Amino acid sequence: MDFAFMAETFMKLIEGVPLTLNLAFASVALGALFAMLLALMRLSGVAALDWLARGYVFVFRGTPLLVQIFLIYYGLGQFRPSLQALGLWWFFREPYWCALLALTLNTAAYASEIIRGGLQSVPHGQIEAARACGMSRWLLFRRIVFPIAVRQALPAYGNEIILMVKATSLASIITMMEVTGIAHKLISQTFRAVEVFVCAGAIYLLLNFLVTRAVLALEWWLSPHLRGAPAPAPRLEAAHV
Amino acid sequence: MPYFELMGFGPNGWGRPMAMAAGMTLAVATCGFLVGSFIGALAAWAKLSQSIITRALADGYTTVLRGIPDLLVIYLFYFGGSAALGHIAVLFGGSGGFISVPAFATGAAAIGVVSGAYQAEVFRGAYTALSRGEIEAARSVGMHRFLMFRRIVAPQVLRYAIPGLGNVWQLALKESALISVTGLVELLRQSQIGAGSTRQPFAFYVTAAMLYLVITTVSTWGFQRAENHAMRGLRRA
C-alpha cells in the first residue's frame, strides 16, 4: 500500500462528497413528500387513486434504478423537439436534474410503502380517542396519526436513506462527478483499483455511519415515552437545615 | 420504424437480441446469486461461531459490503481483476499490459460478493428461528454434526429463509443492470447498443424496463409458490 498515493486519492475523492450529499438529501426530501402523497392515495379508499399508486410502486420497484436514469436522461432525448416546444428541455438536458428526478421517483416508490406501513400501525384506539375529543380530521392527522406513524416508520426509513446514499453513485454513469465518478476517473487514470476502492469505500461507510447515528438520535428524540423518567433532583436533607 | 416492427422478430427487428440479452441478465444474476448463497452460508456460519475473530471478520464483511455502493464493488472487480491478472501474466513472462477479465465472471463475482453479505443476514436470522429443542433432540439421538446439519438444520433454515432470499434475489437482479458498465451484453447494455444504432433510446429503455418487470413479477410469484410449498406443514399464526 502506498500511503502518499492514498492520501492524495482521499483528498480528491472528498471533493465529490458535497455532490453526493446534495443528491442524496435532495432526493430523500423530495421523495418523502411524494411518498406521503402516494401513501395517502393508497389509503384514500378511492379505487382509482389506490390503483394508480399501486401501479406506480409496482413499476418503480420492479425495474433497476439505472434503467430509470437512462430512460429519463437518454430516453426522453428522443422527444427533444416536443420538450423544447414545451420549454422543458433545459431540465432534461442537465444530468443533475435527470439524476435527481430519477432518484426522487425511485425512492418515493419504496418510501411510500414504508410510510403506508407506519400509517397503518397507528392503533385504532388512539384515533377513536382523538375523535371522541372532537378533533377535526386535519388536527387528528397532525397531532396523533402523523407523529406515531413517523416514529414507527423511522427504522425502515433509515435503511432507505442509506440505500439512497449508495444509489447516488449511479449518477456517475451519466457524467456526474460525485465520489464514485471521481473514483472511476482515478482508477482509469492510475489502474490502482484497490487503493481507490479502499478510500472511496471508507467515505461511503463514514457517510452511512453518520446517517445511522442521526436516525438513531431522531428515534430517541421521538420516543420520550419509551425512556425512563428523568432522575429526580437530589433531595435536600431536612434534618441538617 | 413503428415500435412493434422495431422490437419484433423480423429481419430488422431487435426482438431476438433483446430476448437473448434478457437471458444473459437472468444467467449473470443467477450465477451471482448462487455464488452469494455459498459466501452467505459461510459468513452466517462464521457469525454464529464461538470464536470472536471469525465473528468480527464476518461482521466486518457484511457491514462493509452493505454500506458501500455496488458500483464501486463492480469497478474493484473489473479493474482490480485485470490488474491482478496483469501481475500474474508478468510472473509468467508477459508484457504487463491491460488484460481484460471476462465480463461474465466479473459480474457474477461482484453480484456474489454483495448478495453474499445480504444472504448472510438472512441465513443467520433463519437459523435463530430454529427451535433449540430440535437441535437438542438430534444430538440426543446421537447424530453427528454433519448429519444434523443435513437432516435438521439445512432444510428448516431454507424454509425460514425463503422470503428473505426472495428480496435478495430482487436486489441481485437489479444489480445485474450495473454489470453493463463492464461491457457484458445483458439487457441494459443491449438496449444501449440498440438505442445508439437506431436513435430510438426511449423505445429501447422502455422495452428493457418492461422485460425487467416481467422477470421480477415472475420471480415474485415463484418465491411465493416456494414459500407456500415450504410452509405447508406449519400452522400459521
Side-chain angles (χ1 to χ4, degrees):
Chain A
M1 289 268 172
D2 177 350
F3 285 102
F5 174 73
M6 283 180 75
E8 196 187 325
T9 303
F10 198 80
M11 293 320 290
K12 280 185 188 151
L13 289 172
I14 285 284
E15 288 168 23
V17 171
L19 184 55
T20 291
L21 288 180
N22 174 328
L23 283 169
F25 281 109
S27 62
V28 166
L30 293 170
L33 291 179
F34 190 26
M36 195 71 212
L37 184 71
L38 285 170
L40 291 177
M41 279 165 75
R42 284 292 307 267
L43 299 173
S44 65
V46 182
L49 292 179
D50 183 12
W51 281 100
L52 199 63
R54 267 174 208 257
Y56 178 86
V57 170
F58 171 72
V59 169
F60 277 87
R61 290 208 308 179
T63 53
L65 174 59
L66 192 55
V67 173
Q68 295 159 16
I69 292 178
F70 277 22
L71 197 54
I72 292 172
Y73 184 59
Y74 296 114
L76 291 181
Q78 194 176 325
F79 308 112
R80 183 175 168 175
S82 335
L83 288 171
Q84 275 170 328
L86 286 170
L88 290 173
W89 181 241
W90 62 270
F91 185 91
F92 292 103
R93 195 182 57 191
E94 290 295 328
Y96 174 81
W97 294 117
C98 289
L100 186 61
L101 179 65
L103 288 168
T104 302
L105 295 179
N106 186 269
T107 185
Y110 287 91
S112 77
E113 290 294 287
I114 296 172
I115 294 176
R116 188 172 64 90
L119 289 173
Q120 282 179 328
S121 77
V122 177
H124 203 67
Q126 306 240 9
I127 297 174
E128 278 174 4
R131 278 219 193 99
C133 298
M135 281 193 190
S136 66
R137 265 178 79 112
W138 169 241
L139 191 66
L140 188 151
F141 183 77
R142 185 165 66 81
R143 284 228 186 123
I144 312 293
V145 176
F146 187 69
I148 299 177
V150 165
R151 201 161 57 214
Q152 284 293 336
L154 205 56
Y157 217 110
N159 287 340
E160 178 58 23
I161 297 175
I162 290 175
L163 285 177
M164 286 318 286
V165 172
K166 288 165 52 176
T168 55
S169 67
L170 299 193
S172 69
I173 298 182
I174 52 168
T175 71
M176 297 301 293
M177 275 305 183
E178 39 66 77
V179 176
T180 304
I182 297 175
H184 182 224
K185 196 181 78 181
L186 290 175
I187 293 176
S188 20
Q189 281 169 356
T190 62
F191 282 108
R192 294 164 87 164
V194 178
E195 284 98 330
V196 177
F197 172 80
V198 169
C199 293
I203 291 176
Y204 279 105
L205 278 182
L206 182 69
L207 292 180
N208 283 331
F209 177 76
L210 294 177
V211 169
T212 49
R213 290 286 116 184
V215 171
L216 277 180
L218 190 60
E219 208 180 321
W220 183 84
W221 181 66
L222 283 173
S223 29
H225 62 297
L226 297 178
R227 298 198 289 266
R235 264 184 303 170
L236 292 175
E237 290 186 37
H240 297 288
V241 176
Chain B
M1 214 189 304
Y3 178 79
F4 286 104
E5 197 182 323
L6 184 71
M7 285 302 155
F9 289 83
N12 297 319
W14 286 78
R16 208 179 137 73
M18 289 297 277
M20 301 266 284
M24 180 58 94
T25 286
L26 267 179
V28 74
T30 309
C31 286
F33 185 75
L34 292 178
V35 172
S37 297
F38 180 71
I39 299 175
L42 281 182
W45 171 73
K47 274 181 170 245
L48 293 163
S49 87
Q50 304 288 329
S51 148
I52 294 178
I53 301 168
T54 48
R55 263 209 320 263
L57 280 176
D59 281 339
Y61 163 66
T62 53
T63 310
V64 169
L65 266 295
R66 292 190 305 162
I68 57 177
D70 307 338
L71 193 55
L72 272 180
V73 180
I74 292 168
Y75 286 150
L76 175 74
F77 275 71
Y78 186 58
F79 292 103
S82 75
L85 279 185
H87 285 302
I88 294 170
V90 169
L91 283 182
F92 287 96
S95 60
F98 183 84
I99 298 179
S100 67
V101 280
F104 188 89
T106 314
I111 294 177
V113 167
V114 175
S115 83
Y118 288 94
Q119 290 190 51
E121 298 294 339
V122 171
F123 286 137
R124 192 181 58 86
Y127 182 82
T128 51
L130 272 188
S131 103
R132 296 299 103 192
E134 299 220 22
I135 293 175
E136 279 169 19
R139 271 209 199 107
S140 71
V141 296
M143 280 194 190
H144 55 84
R145 283 177 63 151
F146 184 72
L147 190 67
M148 188 170 84
F149 177 78
R150 186 163 64 81
R151 286 223 187 125
I152 312 293
V153 177
Q156 299 201 72
V157 163
L158 272 182
R159 164 196 278 172
Y160 292 124
I162 289 174
L165 288 180
N167 289 338
V168 179
W169 162 250
Q170 302 273 0
L171 287 179
L173 206 55
K174 285 169 205 158
E175 197 189 337
S176 77
L178 306 188
I179 307 296
S180 61
V181 300
T182 67
L184 180 73
V185 185
E186 43 68 74
L187 199 39
L188 186 55
R189 182 84 193 112
Q190 183 64 60
S191 313
Q192 281 176 294
I193 296 169
S197 61
T198 62
R199 306 206 165 229
Q200 300 211 36
F202 191 79
F204 276 92
Y205 294 130
V206 162
T207 310
M210 287 192 296
L211 286 170
Y212 277 113
L213 265 184
V214 169
I215 297 174
T216 49
T217 309
V218 170
S219 37
T220 307
W221 174 80
F223 271 97
Q224 189 59 54
R225 293 252 344 226
E227 189 186 333
N228 290 345
H229 180 74
M231 295 292 189
R232 70 198 180 285
L234 283 186
R235 190 185 295 162
R236 301 289 181 108

